[in-house]
Amino acid sequence: MENPLLLFPQLNISASKDKSYYKVMKSMVKEEAHKASKPGAKQKRNRLSLLLQKPEFHESDHLGKPGNLAKAASVSPEEAVKWGESFDKLLSEKAGLDAFTKFLKTEFSEENIEFWMACEDYKKSKTAHELLPKAKTIFETFIQKDAPKEVNLDFHTKEVTSQNIHQPLITTFDTAQNTVYRLMEQDSYPRFLRSDPYLNLVKGRHPSRPTLRRRSRSFTVNDFQGVRPDFTVW
């Protein structure tokens, strides 16, 4: 397949702030591909992902650290309580999105929310010329085998997305994005609502630094079919 930048020489990826994200991600993909050729690279991939910080996801360095949610967001207890109404409510507010992202960092699963945000940005593309380079970057970063921030997708979803990447549409990542959304909603979101940092926000307390968790086993959408979040067990 020809380089998308050669297909569209008139496209200036650095012309807008929206596209700077994909320029950064593209350089990250190249760097990871080089590292993947070295012994032990696959085992180190999860730790390396912690170093791959995208500047637009956090307004400053201290916001990118998985720690003090109140300092990062200045959230009132009333606002924090509303995050528990629904997962969509949590993600619709910037402070809630930031807090949830920090929580996922403590579980080493932030690639899920980063993929979801990348898809949201992708759907804001104003011209067809923007879709190909953006789609290629998202695919190489989150979906292809051994991608630096590979998300857990079932075989069918990954296969369909791979086939559609050559002629991308605004809806190209919809199925994959919805799958990751459901996994977060039914797995990570209930744990977030039970986490000490969130409960401290609700109670108006100064949250302490959370204990880092090991990454739990990967889930697929089939694990959650017919299952509702259980708020009685942590």
Side-chain angles (χ1 to χ4, degrees), residues 184-228:
M184 291 190 295
E185 181 182 34
Q186 299 181 60
D187 178 34
S188 302
Y189 177 55
R191 289 201 303 276
F192 170 76
L193 296 180
R194 289 284 187 179
S195 68
D196 287 340
Y198 173 71
L199 293 177
N200 285 332
L201 284 180
V202 171
K203 296 173 183 177
R205 296 175 182 173
H206 185 74
S208 58
R209 189 177 185 83
T211 302
L212 292 180
R213 296 172 175 268
R214 289 186 177 183
R215 178 190 289 271
S216 57
R217 76 174 181 90
S218 297
F219 293 93
T220 66
V221 68
N222 292 331
D223 293 321
F224 294 103
Q225 288 183 350
V227 177
R228 293 183 175 275

Side-chain angles (χ1 to χ4, degrees), residues 31-86:
E31 181 180 355
E32 283 296 322
H34 173 71
K35 292 180 180 179
S37 64
K38 298 180 180 180
K42 187 173 182 179
Q43 291 78 7
K44 297 178 181 178
R45 184 160 58 88
N46 288 340
R47 285 180 289 170
L48 287 173
S49 69
L50 296 176
L51 303 177
L52 300 177
Q53 304 289 334
K54 288 184 282 299
E56 62 271 32
F57 289 164
H58 306 286
E59 293 179 350
S60 62
D61 290 340
H62 78 277
L63 293 184
K65 298 178 181 178
N68 193 329
L69 301 186
K71 180 179 178 182
S74 298
V75 177
S76 69
E78 292 75 19
E79 290 177 297
V81 167
K82 292 180 180 179
W83 298 349
E85 294 177 0
S86 69

Side-chain angles (χ1 to χ4, degrees), residues 1-14 18-27 29 118 121-122 125 127-141 165-169 173:
M1 178 179 174
E2 295 186 44
N3 190 317
L5 297 180
L6 296 178
L7 293 174
F8 307 109
Q10 72 275 21
L11 177 63
N12 183 356
I13 293 181
S14 63
D18 289 341
K19 297 176 184 177
S20 64
Y21 161 71
Y22 295 92
K23 187 175 182 181
V24 172
M25 289 175 63
K26 187 175 182 180
S27 66
V29 171
D121 185 80
Y122 173 82
S125 301
T127 67
H129 287 176
E130 294 181 48
L131 296 180
L132 184 58
K134 284 185 176 184
K136 185 174 184 293
T137 299
I138 291 176
F139 180 78
E140 292 177 351
T141 304
I165 204 69
H166 303 296
Q167 293 182 318
L169 303 172
F173 295 104

Side-chain angles (χ1 to χ4, degrees), residues 2 45 51 54 62 66 71 78 83 88 91 105 107 113 117 124 142 151 158 173-174 178 193 197 199 218 229 232 234:
E2 295 186 44
R45 184 160 58 88
L51 303 177
K54 288 184 282 299
H62 78 277
K71 180 179 178 182
E78 292 75 19
W83 298 349
D88 185 64
L91 298 188
K105 284 179 179 293
E107 297 199 328
I113 194 63
M117 288 190 285
K124 296 176 184 176
F142 296 103
V151 294
K158 181 174 288 191
F173 295 104
D174 281 2
N178 290 337
L193 296 180
L199 293 177
S218 297
T232 63
W234 172 242

Side-chain angles (χ1 to χ4, degrees), residues 71-117:
K71 180 179 178 182
S74 298
V75 177
S76 69
E78 292 75 19
E79 290 177 297
V81 167
K82 292 180 180 179
W83 298 349
E85 294 177 0
S86 69
F87 188 47
D88 185 64
K89 179 69 174 178
L90 173 69
L91 298 188
S92 66
E93 298 185 6
K94 185 180 185 305
L97 180 59
D98 287 345
F100 186 64
T101 300
K102 291 174 179 59
F103 171 75
L104 292 184
K105 284 179 179 293
T106 70
E107 297 199 328
F108 303 104
S109 59
E110 68 272 18
E111 70 276 1
N112 292 323
I113 194 63
E114 290 177 4
F115 171 67
W116 182 85
M117 288 190 285

